[in-house]
Amino acid sequence: MSNAPYADIPRVDALDKVRGATLYAADRQPGNLVHAALAAATIAKGSIVSIDTSAANAVRGVRLILTHENIGPLGSAGFLLGGGRAFQSFQPMSSASIAYRGQPIAVVAADTLEAAIEAASLVDATYHEEAFSATIESEGTETIVQAEAPLGHPNPDIVFGDADQAYAAAEIQVDATFTSPPQHQNPIELVATVAEWAGDRLLIHEGTQNANALRFGLATQLGISAENVEIRSHHLGGGFGQKNSLQMQTVFAAIAARRVGRPVKLVVPRSQLFHDASFRPQSVHRMQLGADASGKMLAALHSVDGQTSRHDLFPGEYCQTSARLYGIPNFRGFHRMVRTDTQTPGYMRAPFEHTACLAMECAVDELAYRLDQDPVALRLANDTAHDPVEDLPLSSRHLAECLRRGADRFGWSDRRMEPMSMRAADGSYIGWGVACGAYPGNAAANVARLTITAEGVVEISAGVHEMGQGIRTVLANVVSRRLDVPLESVTALLGDTRGAYPHLTAGSWGTTASIPATIKACDAMWQRLREVAPDAPSGANPVDLIRRAGLPSLQVEVRSSAPGQDISAVDRIATGGASPTGPAYPGFVTFSYIAHFVEVRIEPNTRRIRVPRVVSVADCGRVLSPRTARSQVWGGVVWGIGAALREESEVDPRYGGFLNADIAEYMIPVNADIGTIDVDFIDEPDPQINEAGVKGLGEVVMAGVAPAIANAIFHATGRRLRSLPFRVEHLL
Ligand code: MOS
């Protein structure tokens, strides 16, 4: 079967989306609907002494108010990383305990949304307050060495060679500390649930990256059989890790719907989302980089303190990537977790790679200046085809070609090395910066079910969710080519417990998990078609064969696993678990790569930082859908600009919680902040990771953007900024 480049087809759901025909969870309007709203804790830690719902109850149209006093037994679904199904182990409203500011303390259900919101605002609690720690710098935190932490699985730091000795002996040493504040995903689609009971059966409409975790987690919380829980999550308006497990509000909607005997819709407003879902934890990175006088990197030491909650341990995997960006022979990683009184932080796009690359790629730029070497040339001289962590070959690595092609497209050869040496006609300082990103080449076991009807409908169902990233377009492109059927005939049933087991869609493994299963299903379908229509002429298409056989439809279901992975990994998906593996496989290691070239312009008086253009060249293996892939890169670069220059979840250590809990004050880039983003792909199939040759894309695209901007700011101004976000005041 050919593995030629794929056609640049339009997004298959584009027309529905621009017409508003695509239904998201909160668009569901079952008859007799009740609206729910949450009341939130106004202290940072402690417990509820008394809760008065009388004023709330008096609001016209209120049907139900749930508090910890009347909600009844409410189990925790367990923390995702501890074998559970939820984003944290702590279950609000199962007791009087308050673990963080903003935690739900009551659920109001009413005939109208207005009544629910008004009543929720009238819920009045008195508290017993306790001391708390809002940030990793606060008093009273607890610091845990990750390698020694009780995580339930071995979690050693990445160490190879003798980095301390090699660093101490190195002719050139760079030692710098980088920080990132907590940040929050803000998908356009809010976290929302519509819950509906029919007898014992519960139907949930919710945008999630993990429909089976919802099914099994909810069953645990409610004490019912998972057989009686159905999930529909056909479209997400963005996931980005925020929707990767059972959310806070889902069980409240389900319980409220059961109590009032009517469907309940619970939309978590943006202001509450900052406390009701996970977030990118605050982190501090010390990077020490040693090199010889020629620029050969000899040693790196990367120490990270990452924020976790009081009730869960969220381990950092920052050194997975920093250890592997270059062929550095000596490396020592050291992770610690710092307990703070927040909800449990979690995965937010390029959760470790974004800040790991900030630390490594800014340090590499500092090294280039210490050596007076071109930053692209220095990177090329430290390239590798070998994975130093596993001591195995890389299945593919085209980072050097990303750098060369990007430099060419950007016009890098016109760059002058000295800081402050390039000025625009209006007097602005021009800075040109470069940085690379890498992301583990994860994959996962999966199931695919393929159905073709005599009417010509081709339905693929696989363990992946459509978050807006374009997986339906990828599936259509792959299935139509493999089966030789029209693109328009291919539909996908995703994120639905009636279809193939929905698998957690995260870690950039959406394509690497679902596409091998899908290709296998296509091949199994051809096999079945030959069996049911053995006398068919060659060249007949699947629908002709089904008609010739006199069948109404034909269905196949297959299971697939990643290289070296036992097929029984599929069983974990069946009960709402996940089956990811990688980036190390038997005999090889897989990563995706990207190189970003950035121009900044800095106005000399106000020091306003602009990013008029970016060139990004990615190595994600074979590109299965060029148009949505390009869109992924645009999105990742925009987010990288946001992370570098705008985004910070602001904490007042005296009060805890997140202050700027809305997208007016949580600063993100607007259209005027974004210039041109020129994207290219190497588009070389990876020969080992899967038959299609595809590696992940959705997260590597963001890794390296922030350091490219930091390095460009240095080039423009001579100032090294190391704490995100970089703002005007840091350049005054
Ligand atoms: Mo992604 S941050 O692994 O959902």
Side-chain angles (χ1 to χ4, degrees), residues 209 240-242 244 347-351 439 505-508 699:
Q209 300 167 236
F240 311 117
Q242 183 180 64
N244 68 10
Y347 302 98
M348 172 165 146
R349 198 179 201 172
Y439 192 92
T505 305
S508 293
E699 293 174 271

Side-chain angles (χ1 to χ4, degrees), residues 39-53 67-69 95-98 105-106 122-130:
T42 55
I43 63 162
K45 189 175 184 172
S47 55
I48 299 170
V49 172
S50 67
I51 187 158
D52 180 359
T53 57
T67 69
H68 68 283
E69 291 174 343
S95 74
S97 178
I98 303 297
I105 58 165
L122 296 172
V123 171
D124 190 19
T126 60
Y127 302 95
H128 164 71
E129 294 192 50
E130 292 170 23

